[in-house]
């Protein structure tokens, strides 16, 4: 019994529906009864159906590198090292380039170059400028207010002070670093 392919994002195996969600790499389903995390991956379910439980420190590898091909003939039990070797040369090249860039002397030191510093500042300013407003509700007075970030909880400094006073803090002060 192999998984039945419904469409590009849905496959059915053993009477259960597995989905490929946007931005995800593997077909999965959520069920709190099947595992601790509640997530069951299709390739692992197929392997366990035919071969039993997956040993510790082992993974299921797609032999032809196609994560949508979850037939038992395309799956093998492998170590992490074996699984890592079964990648396309293009992906390997991309990873190697990223690792080399990350390990370079200049990585993450944008603040030391004035030109990079200015460019980053402009990029962040543009990001905040184009960010849409979010409508939130004040925790104290219940009034709706608009902000560009998701962490705001109060419509004004006065409401923030009222909330802190109720918690026993006399005067709210911003933390300063010296």
């Amino acid at each position: 019994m192999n998984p039945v392919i419904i469409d590009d994002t849905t496959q059915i195996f053993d009477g259960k529906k597995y989905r490929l969600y946007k931005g995800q790499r593997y077909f999965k389903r959520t069920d709190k009864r099947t595992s601790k995390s509640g997530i069951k991956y299709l390739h692992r379910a197929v392997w366990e159906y035919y071969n039993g439980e997956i040993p510790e420190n082992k993974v299921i590898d797609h032999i032809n590198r196609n994560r949508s091909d979850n037939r038992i003939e395309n799956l093998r039990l492998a170590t992490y090292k074996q699984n890592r070797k079964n990648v396309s040369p293009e992906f390997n090249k991309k990873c190697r380039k990223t690792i080399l860039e990350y390990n370079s002397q200049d990585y993450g030191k944008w603040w030391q170059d004035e030109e990079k510093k200015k460019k980053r500042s402009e990029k962040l300013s543009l990001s905040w400028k184009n960010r849409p407003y979010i409508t939130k509700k004040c925790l104290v007075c219940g009034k709706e207010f608009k902000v560009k970030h998701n962490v705001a909880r109060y419509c004004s400094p006065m409401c923030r002070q009222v909330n802190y006073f109720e918690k026993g803090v006399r005067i709210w002060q911003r933390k300063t670093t010296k």
Side-chain angles (χ1 to χ4, degrees), residues 72-115:
I72 189 65
E73 301 86 37
N74 185 44
L75 301 175
R76 70 176 177 142
L77 191 64
T79 63
Y80 290 103
K81 192 174 186 177
Q82 291 168 332
N83 188 31
R84 181 66 187 101
K85 284 182 180 177
N86 188 23
V87 295
S88 67
E90 298 85 29
F91 183 77
N92 221 349
K93 189 176 179 182
K94 178 183 166 191
C95 285
R96 188 161 302 152
K97 182 181 174 189
T98 305
I99 288 168
L100 287 172
E101 182 183 303
Y102 181 77
N103 290 335
S104 74
Q105 294 282 331
D106 298 329
Y107 184 79
K109 296 186 178 179
W110 54 266
W111 65 88
Q112 292 179 355
D113 182 12
E114 288 301 320
E115 187 179 320

Side-chain angles (χ1 to χ4, degrees), residues 118-140:
K118 185 178 178 186
K119 190 175 180 181
R120 183 176 171 90
S121 176
E122 288 170 359
K123 189 175 179 182
L124 285 171
S125 295
L126 189 64
S127 169
W128 274 100
K129 184 178 177 183
N130 295 336
R131 188 174 283 201
Y133 279 98
I134 304 167
T135 303
K136 303 271 296 196
K137 200 171 193 176
C138 181
L139 290 178
V140 176

Side-chain angles (χ1 to χ4, degrees), residues 3-159:
V4 178
I5 299 171
I6 305 299
D7 56 37
D8 290 345
T9 60
T10 309
Q11 292 186 18
I12 296 177
F13 178 73
D14 200 20
K16 297 177 179 107
K17 191 183 284 187
Y18 292 83
R19 300 204 41 110
L20 180 64
Y21 295 97
K22 186 176 180 181
Q24 299 293 311
R25 297 172 7 171
Y26 297 102
F27 285 84
K28 65 182 178 181
R29 72 185 305 271
T30 306
D31 185 4
K32 289 285 185 195
R33 293 172 291 175
T34 56
S35 66
K36 291 178 203 169
S37 66
I39 296 171
K40 188 70 176 175
Y41 291 96
L42 176 58
H43 60 287
R44 294 176 65 87
V46 171
W47 180 266
E48 288 174 352
Y49 181 83
Y50 287 102
N51 301 306
E53 196 171 320
I54 300 166
E56 201 173 312
N57 296 326
K58 297 284 185 172
V59 292
I60 305 305
D61 184 28
H62 291 85
I63 297 168
N64 68 0
R65 301 183 196 127
N66 182 359
R67 295 185 190 115
S68 297
D69 186 0
N70 290 297
R71 296 173 295 122
I72 189 65
E73 301 86 37
N74 185 44
L75 301 175
R76 70 176 177 142
L77 191 64
T79 63
Y80 290 103
K81 192 174 186 177
Q82 291 168 332
N83 188 31
R84 181 66 187 101
K85 284 182 180 177
N86 188 23
V87 295
S88 67
E90 298 85 29
F91 183 77
N92 221 349
K93 189 176 179 182
K94 178 183 166 191
C95 285
R96 188 161 302 152
K97 182 181 174 189
T98 305
I99 288 168
L100 287 172
E101 182 183 303
Y102 181 77
N103 290 335
S104 74
Q105 294 282 331
D106 298 329
Y107 184 79
K109 296 186 178 179
W110 54 266
W111 65 88
Q112 292 179 355
D113 182 12
E114 288 301 320
E115 187 179 320
K116 287 182 182 177
K117 198 175 184 179
K118 185 178 178 186
K119 190 175 180 181
R120 183 176 171 90
S121 176
E122 288 170 359
K123 189 175 179 182
L124 285 171
S125 295
L126 189 64
S127 169
W128 274 100
K129 184 178 177 183
N130 295 336
R131 188 174 283 201
Y133 279 98
I134 304 167
T135 303
K136 303 271 296 196
K137 200 171 193 176
C138 181
L139 290 178
V140 176
C141 66
K143 187 173 106 178
E144 287 191 353
F145 62 100
K146 292 187 177 195
V147 288
K148 287 192 173 190
H149 53 82
N150 205 18
V151 294
R153 293 182 278 172
Y154 311 106
C155 63
S156 67
M158 192 63 196
C159 281

